[in-house]
Amino acid sequence: MTETRFLSKTDKYGITTTFGVVVMLLLFMASCGKDNKEVVEVTFDPENTYTMKATDVTSLISDSGITRYRLNAKEWLVFGKAEDPYWYFPEGIYVEKFDTLFQTEASIKADTAYHWDKKGLWKLIGNVEVESLQGENFQTSLLYWDQKEEKIYSDQYIRIEQEDKIITGIGFESNQDMTKYKIFNSQGTFPVNNTTPDSSRVNTAVADTTVVEVAKADSIKND
């Protein structure tokens, strides 16, 4: 009987002790869970928090079912939750346009680029360089490409190198193929073998007016 009572007493205390430990563990876990929840809470800024990141990007882009462009970028960030969703290329971008035989016929590059999908607008910044369909080279520090309006424009210094001459000015507007364009506040035309402005060489009238229209303007559309 003594042994039986001893075992009974031991079981009773054992159950009580185990129950107490379980309750303490549950309370401790609940407390820790609450603390962790407070730590991970952060403010989400959709305008400055990207929803996708890609590196060493090479992408082929189709137009009417035909591959027309190839895009290369070291880093591509997508801000898909922003009020006006946009793409950001912080380390530059290079785009080639192909002909029907997949030969490069035009290209564009810049140090930094933005693209707003809803607007159909590209903004290219820093050492922007364009090789056009006609073989002309365009250089500027800022360029906009409005795909909906099918035009390219800038309000910054522009340098256009043709086969035999260089044209410079402040402000520029063109069709998106860059085959017909206007230069605002033209600084003149210089022979390609002497790019240094010289009063004896400056020709303020552009020879080929069917391609280039020199115009004055107080301002140019900017975003």
PDB file of all heavy atoms in Angstrom, residues 23-49:
ATOM      1  N   VAL A  23       2.330  25.556 -19.975  1.00  0.00           N
ATOM      2  CA  VAL A  23       1.711  26.891 -19.932  1.00  0.00           C
ATOM      3  C   VAL A  23       2.765  27.971 -20.075  1.00  0.00           C
ATOM      4  O   VAL A  23       2.599  28.949 -20.816  1.00  0.00           O
ATOM      5  CB  VAL A  23       0.914  27.068 -18.624  1.00  0.00           C
ATOM      6  CG1 VAL A  23       0.462  28.523 -18.470  1.00  0.00           C
ATOM      7  CG2 VAL A  23      -0.276  26.141 -18.597  1.00  0.00           C
ATOM      8  N   MET A  24       3.897  27.813 -19.376  1.00  0.00           N
ATOM      9  CA  MET A  24       4.973  28.804 -19.462  1.00  0.00           C
ATOM     10  C   MET A  24       5.538  28.905 -20.880  1.00  0.00           C
ATOM     11  O   MET A  24       5.805  29.991 -21.383  1.00  0.00           O
ATOM     12  CB  MET A  24       6.073  28.441 -18.470  1.00  0.00           C
ATOM     13  CG  MET A  24       5.681  28.626 -16.997  1.00  0.00           C
ATOM     14  SD  MET A  24       7.001  28.143 -15.879  1.00  0.00           S
ATOM     15  CE  MET A  24       8.233  29.375 -16.312  1.00  0.00           C
ATOM     16  N   LEU A  25       5.718  27.747 -21.528  1.00  0.00           N
ATOM     17  CA  LEU A  25       6.233  27.749 -22.896  1.00  0.00           C
ATOM     18  C   LEU A  25       5.278  28.438 -23.855  1.00  0.00           C
ATOM     19  O   LEU A  25       5.683  29.193 -24.744  1.00  0.00           O
ATOM     20  CB  LEU A  25       6.494  26.308 -23.359  1.00  0.00           C
ATOM     21  CG  LEU A  25       7.710  25.611 -22.741  1.00  0.00           C
ATOM     22  CD1 LEU A  25       7.737  24.140 -23.156  1.00  0.00           C
ATOM     23  CD2 LEU A  25       8.994  26.298 -23.191  1.00  0.00           C
ATOM     24  N   LEU A  26       3.991  28.189 -23.688  1.00  0.00           N
ATOM     25  CA  LEU A  26       2.996  28.824 -24.561  1.00  0.00           C
ATOM     26  C   LEU A  26       2.999  30.335 -24.383  1.00  0.00           C
ATOM     27  O   LEU A  26       2.922  31.099 -25.348  1.00  0.00           O
ATOM     28  CB  LEU A  26       1.603  28.253 -24.268  1.00  0.00           C
ATOM     29  CG  LEU A  26       1.359  26.814 -24.737  1.00  0.00           C
ATOM     30  CD1 LEU A  26       0.005  26.326 -24.243  1.00  0.00           C
ATOM     31  CD2 LEU A  26       1.443  26.712 -26.241  1.00  0.00           C
ATOM     32  N   LEU A  27       3.096  30.787 -23.126  1.00  0.00           N
ATOM     33  CA  LEU A  27       3.127  32.225 -22.863  1.00  0.00           C
ATOM     34  C   LEU A  27       4.395  32.854 -23.439  1.00  0.00           C
ATOM     35  O   LEU A  27       4.368  33.943 -23.999  1.00  0.00           O
ATOM     36  CB  LEU A  27       3.059  32.479 -21.347  1.00  0.00           C
ATOM     37  CG  LEU A  27       1.716  32.156 -20.684  1.00  0.00           C
ATOM     38  CD1 LEU A  27       1.833  32.295 -19.161  1.00  0.00           C
ATOM     39  CD2 LEU A  27       0.625  33.081 -21.213  1.00  0.00           C
ATOM     40  N   PHE A  28       5.530  32.146 -23.311  1.00  0.00           N
ATOM     41  CA  PHE A  28       6.794  32.643 -23.832  1.00  0.00           C
ATOM     42  C   PHE A  28       6.764  32.750 -25.359  1.00  0.00           C
ATOM     43  O   PHE A  28       7.198  33.742 -25.941  1.00  0.00           O
ATOM     44  CB  PHE A  28       7.923  31.708 -23.388  1.00  0.00           C
ATOM     45  CG  PHE A  28       9.273  32.110 -23.928  1.00  0.00           C
ATOM     46  CD1 PHE A  28       9.955  33.199 -23.384  1.00  0.00           C
ATOM     47  CD2 PHE A  28       9.855  31.418 -24.977  1.00  0.00           C
ATOM     48  CE1 PHE A  28      11.194  33.563 -23.877  1.00  0.00           C
ATOM     49  CE2 PHE A  28      11.090  31.791 -25.474  1.00  0.00           C
ATOM     50  CZ  PHE A  28      11.762  32.873 -24.914  1.00  0.00           C
ATOM     51  N   MET A  29       6.203  31.732 -26.016  1.00  0.00           N
ATOM     52  CA  MET A  29       6.111  31.733 -27.474  1.00  0.00           C
ATOM     53  C   MET A  29       5.203  32.843 -27.966  1.00  0.00           C
ATOM     54  O   MET A  29       5.477  33.504 -28.969  1.00  0.00           O
ATOM     55  CB  MET A  29       5.611  30.375 -27.969  1.00  0.00           C
ATOM     56  CG  MET A  29       6.627  29.243 -27.776  1.00  0.00           C
ATOM     57  SD  MET A  29       5.948  27.632 -28.190  1.00  0.00           S
ATOM     58  CE  MET A  29       5.695  27.853 -29.951  1.00  0.00           C
ATOM     59  N   ALA A  30       4.096  33.056 -27.254  1.00  0.00           N
ATOM     60  CA  ALA A  30       3.173  34.131 -27.645  1.00  0.00           C
ATOM     61  C   ALA A  30       3.837  35.479 -27.524  1.00  0.00           C
ATOM     62  O   ALA A  30       3.689  36.361 -28.360  1.00  0.00           O
ATOM     63  CB  ALA A  30       1.917  34.067 -26.771  1.00  0.00           C
ATOM     64  N   SER A  31       4.632  35.645 -26.442  1.00  0.00           N
ATOM     65  CA  SER A  31       5.342  36.899 -26.235  1.00  0.00           C
ATOM     66  C   SER A  31       6.369  37.132 -27.324  1.00  0.00           C
ATOM     67  O   SER A  31       6.480  38.214 -27.887  1.00  0.00           O
ATOM     68  CB  SER A  31       6.014  36.880 -24.857  1.00  0.00           C
ATOM     69  OG  SER A  31       6.789  38.044 -24.677  1.00  0.00           O
ATOM     70  N   CYS A  32       7.137  36.078 -27.658  1.00  0.00           N
ATOM     71  CA  CYS A  32       8.148  36.188 -28.722  1.00  0.00           C
ATOM     72  C   CYS A  32       7.506  36.478 -30.061  1.00  0.00           C
ATOM     73  O   CYS A  32       8.001  37.254 -30.848  1.00  0.00           O
ATOM     74  CB  CYS A  32       8.954  34.896 -28.804  1.00  0.00           C
ATOM     75  SG  CYS A  32      10.088  34.679 -27.411  1.00  0.00           S
ATOM     76  N   GLY A  33       6.377  35.840 -30.323  1.00  0.00           N
ATOM     77  CA  GLY A  33       5.676  36.065 -31.587  1.00  0.00           C
ATOM     78  C   GLY A  33       5.249  37.504 -31.739  1.00  0.00           C
ATOM     79  O   GLY A  33       5.353  38.103 -32.791  1.00  0.00           O
ATOM     80  N   LYS A  34       4.794  38.104 -30.643  1.00  0.00           N
ATOM     81  CA  LYS A  34       4.375  39.496 -30.678  1.00  0.00           C
ATOM     82  C   LYS A  34       5.553  40.413 -30.948  1.00  0.00           C
ATOM     83  O   LYS A  34       5.487  41.343 -31.742  1.00  0.00           O
ATOM     84  CB  LYS A  34       3.710  39.864 -29.358  1.00  0.00           C
ATOM     85  CG  LYS A  34       3.165  41.290 -29.319  1.00  0.00           C
ATOM     86  CD  LYS A  34       2.475  41.571 -28.006  1.00  0.00           C
ATOM     87  CE  LYS A  34       1.932  42.991 -27.966  1.00  0.00           C
ATOM     88  NZ  LYS A  34       1.278  43.282 -26.678  1.00  0.00           N
ATOM     89  N   ASP A  35       6.692  40.116 -30.284  1.00  0.00           N
ATOM     90  CA  ASP A  35       7.886  40.937 -30.483  1.00  0.00           C
ATOM     91  C   ASP A  35       8.376  40.864 -31.924  1.00  0.00           C
ATOM     92  O   ASP A  35       8.727  41.865 -32.531  1.00  0.00           O
ATOM     93  CB  ASP A  35       9.001  40.471 -29.540  1.00  0.00           C
ATOM     94  CG  ASP A  35       8.671  40.792 -28.080  1.00  0.00           C
ATOM     95  OD1 ASP A  35       7.788  41.636 -27.872  1.00  0.00           O
ATOM     96  OD2 ASP A  35       9.285  40.181 -27.182  1.00  0.00           O
ATOM     97  N   ASN A  36       8.400  39.677 -32.533  1.00  0.00           N
ATOM     98  CA  ASN A  36       8.857  39.506 -33.909  1.00  0.00           C
ATOM     99  C   ASN A  36       7.974  40.265 -34.883  1.00  0.00           C
ATOM    100  O   ASN A  36       8.437  40.837 -35.852  1.00  0.00           O
ATOM    101  CB  ASN A  36       8.894  38.026 -34.279  1.00  0.00           C
ATOM    102  CG  ASN A  36      10.034  37.296 -33.569  1.00  0.00           C
ATOM    103  OD1 ASN A  36      11.003  37.939 -33.175  1.00  0.00           O
ATOM    104  ND2 ASN A  36       9.905  35.995 -33.411  1.00  0.00           N
ATOM    105  N   LYS A  37       6.695  40.269 -34.623  1.00  0.00           N
ATOM    106  CA  LYS A  37       5.770  40.968 -35.502  1.00  0.00           C
ATOM    107  C   LYS A  37       6.059  42.456 -35.518  1.00  0.00           C
ATOM    108  O   LYS A  37       6.016  43.104 -36.552  1.00  0.00           O
ATOM    109  CB  LYS A  37       4.336  40.706 -35.049  1.00  0.00           C
ATOM    110  CG  LYS A  37       3.296  41.348 -35.944  1.00  0.00           C
ATOM    111  CD  LYS A  37       1.883  41.017 -35.473  1.00  0.00           C
ATOM    112  CE  LYS A  37       0.848  41.673 -36.369  1.00  0.00           C
ATOM    113  NZ  LYS A  37      -0.532  41.374 -35.914  1.00  0.00           N
ATOM    114  N   GLU A  38       6.401  43.020 -34.380  1.00  0.00           N
ATOM    115  CA  GLU A  38       6.693  44.443 -34.303  1.00  0.00           C
ATOM    116  C   GLU A  38       8.007  44.773 -35.009  1.00  0.00           C
ATOM    117  O   GLU A  38       8.153  45.810 -35.613  1.00  0.00           O
ATOM    118  CB  GLU A  38       6.751  44.867 -32.839  1.00  0.00           C
ATOM    119  CG  GLU A  38       5.400  44.816 -32.131  1.00  0.00           C
ATOM    120  CD  GLU A  38       5.512  45.162 -30.648  1.00  0.00           C
ATOM    121  OE1 GLU A  38       6.664  45.325 -30.181  1.00  0.00           O
ATOM    122  OE2 GLU A  38       4.477  45.243 -29.991  1.00  0.00           O
ATOM    123  N   VAL A  39       8.966  43.859 -35.006  1.00  0.00           N
ATOM    124  CA  VAL A  39      10.268  44.101 -35.614  1.00  0.00           C
ATOM    125  C   VAL A  39      10.180  44.137 -37.129  1.00  0.00           C
ATOM    126  O   VAL A  39      10.794  44.962 -37.780  1.00  0.00           O
ATOM    127  CB  VAL A  39      11.277  43.016 -35.160  1.00  0.00           C
ATOM    128  CG1 VAL A  39      12.554  43.106 -35.977  1.00  0.00           C
ATOM    129  CG2 VAL A  39      11.580  43.178 -33.678  1.00  0.00           C
ATOM    130  N   VAL A  40       9.391  43.252 -37.738  1.00  0.00           N
ATOM    131  CA  VAL A  40       9.353  43.145 -39.195  1.00  0.00           C
ATOM    132  C   VAL A  40       8.418  44.152 -39.857  1.00  0.00           C
ATOM    133  O   VAL A  40       8.385  44.245 -41.063  1.00  0.00           O
ATOM    134  CB  VAL A  40       8.936  41.718 -39.627  1.00  0.00           C
ATOM    135  CG1 VAL A  40       9.939  40.702 -39.135  1.00  0.00           C
ATOM    136  CG2 VAL A  40       7.529  41.384 -39.121  1.00  0.00           C
ATOM    137  N   GLU A  41       7.664  44.877 -39.089  1.00  0.00           N
ATOM    138  CA  GLU A  41       6.762  45.858 -39.680  1.00  0.00           C
ATOM    139  C   GLU A  41       7.573  47.002 -40.287  1.00  0.00           C
ATOM    140  O   GLU A  41       8.376  47.644 -39.620  1.00  0.00           O
ATOM    141  CB  GLU A  41       5.800  46.407 -38.625  1.00  0.00           C
ATOM    142  CG  GLU A  41       4.681  45.440 -38.256  1.00  0.00           C
ATOM    143  CD  GLU A  41       3.717  46.043 -37.254  1.00  0.00           C
ATOM    144  OE1 GLU A  41       4.033  47.143 -36.742  1.00  0.00           O
ATOM    145  OE2 GLU A  41       2.678  45.436 -36.999  1.00  0.00           O
ATOM    146  N   VAL A  42       7.398  47.265 -41.586  1.00  0.00           N
ATOM    147  CA  VAL A  42       8.095  48.342 -42.291  1.00  0.00           C
ATOM    148  C   VAL A  42       7.096  49.128 -43.129  1.00  0.00           C
ATOM    149  O   VAL A  42       6.017  48.648 -43.455  1.00  0.00           O
ATOM    150  CB  VAL A  42       9.207  47.789 -43.216  1.00  0.00           C
ATOM    151  CG1 VAL A  42      10.299  47.127 -42.405  1.00  0.00           C
ATOM    152  CG2 VAL A  42       8.627  46.811 -44.233  1.00  0.00           C
ATOM    153  N   THR A  43       7.480  50.359 -43.482  1.00  0.00           N
ATOM    154  CA  THR A  43       6.638  51.194 -44.329  1.00  0.00           C
ATOM    155  C   THR A  43       6.979  50.927 -45.792  1.00  0.00           C
ATOM    156  O   THR A  43       8.136  51.019 -46.194  1.00  0.00           O
ATOM    157  CB  THR A  43       6.861  52.680 -44.007  1.00  0.00           C
ATOM    158  OG1 THR A  43       6.570  52.906 -42.629  1.00  0.00           O
ATOM    159  CG2 THR A  43       5.962  53.555 -44.879  1.00  0.00           C
ATOM    160  N   PHE A  44       5.992  50.573 -46.574  1.00  0.00           N
ATOM    161  CA  PHE A  44       6.200  50.272 -47.992  1.00  0.00           C
ATOM    162  C   PHE A  44       5.966  51.526 -48.817  1.00  0.00           C
ATOM    163  O   PHE A  44       4.888  52.116 -48.785  1.00  0.00           O
ATOM    164  CB  PHE A  44       5.246  49.161 -48.435  1.00  0.00           C
ATOM    165  CG  PHE A  44       5.348  48.835 -49.903  1.00  0.00           C
ATOM    166  CD1 PHE A  44       6.437  48.140 -50.399  1.00  0.00           C
ATOM    167  CD2 PHE A  44       4.352  49.225 -50.794  1.00  0.00           C
ATOM    168  CE1 PHE A  44       6.541  47.840 -51.747  1.00  0.00           C
ATOM    169  CE2 PHE A  44       4.449  48.931 -52.140  1.00  0.00           C
ATOM    170  CZ  PHE A  44       5.548  48.228 -52.614  1.00  0.00           C
ATOM    171  N   ASP A  45       6.999  51.947 -49.530  1.00  0.00           N
ATOM    172  CA  ASP A  45       6.912  53.117 -50.399  1.00  0.00           C
ATOM    173  C   ASP A  45       6.885  52.642 -51.845  1.00  0.00           C
ATOM    174  O   ASP A  45       7.938  52.303 -52.409  1.00  0.00           O
ATOM    175  CB  ASP A  45       8.105  54.041 -50.162  1.00  0.00           C
ATOM    176  CG  ASP A  45       8.037  55.305 -51.012  1.00  0.00           C
ATOM    177  OD1 ASP A  45       7.058  55.463 -51.766  1.00  0.00           O
ATOM    178  OD2 ASP A  45       8.966  56.130 -50.927  1.00  0.00           O
ATOM    179  N   PRO A  46       5.726  52.577 -52.474  1.00  0.00           N
ATOM    180  CA  PRO A  46       5.623  52.035 -53.838  1.00  0.00           C
ATOM    181  C   PRO A  46       6.371  52.854 -54.874  1.00  0.00           C
ATOM    182  O   PRO A  46       6.750  52.323 -55.924  1.00  0.00           O
ATOM    183  CB  PRO A  46       4.114  52.049 -54.106  1.00  0.00           C
ATOM    184  CG  PRO A  46       3.573  53.102 -53.202  1.00  0.00           C
ATOM    185  CD  PRO A  46       4.418  53.041 -51.962  1.00  0.00           C
ATOM    186  N   GLU A  47       6.614  54.132 -54.589  1.00  0.00           N
ATOM    187  CA  GLU A  47       7.303  54.979 -55.561  1.00  0.00           C
ATOM    188  C   GLU A  47       8.805  54.687 -55.596  1.00  0.00           C
ATOM    189  O   GLU A  47       9.465  54.943 -56.598  1.00  0.00           O
ATOM    190  CB  GLU A  47       7.072  56.457 -55.232  1.00  0.00           C
ATOM    191  CG  GLU A  47       5.622  56.889 -55.299  1.00  0.00           C
ATOM    192  CD  GLU A  47       5.008  56.727 -56.681  1.00  0.00           C
ATOM    193  OE1 GLU A  47       5.727  56.940 -57.677  1.00  0.00           O
ATOM    194  OE2 GLU A  47       3.816  56.392 -56.757  1.00  0.00           O
ATOM    195  N   ASN A  48       9.344  54.163 -54.487  1.00  0.00           N
ATOM    196  CA  ASN A  48      10.787  53.955 -54.397  1.00  0.00           C
ATOM    197  C   ASN A  48      11.180  52.523 -54.051  1.00  0.00           C
ATOM    198  O   ASN A  48      12.357  52.258 -53.775  1.00  0.00           O
ATOM    199  CB  ASN A  48      11.376  54.906 -53.348  1.00  0.00           C
ATOM    200  CG  ASN A  48      11.173  56.369 -53.713  1.00  0.00           C
ATOM    201  OD1 ASN A  48      11.700  56.845 -54.712  1.00  0.00           O
ATOM    202  ND2 ASN A  48      10.398  57.079 -52.915  1.00  0.00           N
ATOM    203  N   THR A  49      10.224  51.601 -54.065  1.00  0.00           N
ATOM    204  CA  THR A  49      10.509  50.199 -53.775  1.00  0.00           C
ATOM    205  C   THR A  49      10.218  49.368 -55.017  1.00  0.00           C
ATOM    206  O   THR A  49       9.076  49.307 -55.472  1.00  0.00           O
ATOM    207  CB  THR A  49       9.655  49.696 -52.602  1.00  0.00           C
ATOM    208  OG1 THR A  49       9.877  50.536 -51.466  1.00  0.00           O
ATOM    209  CG2 THR A  49      10.021  48.259 -52.246  1.00  0.00           C
TER     210      THR A  49
END
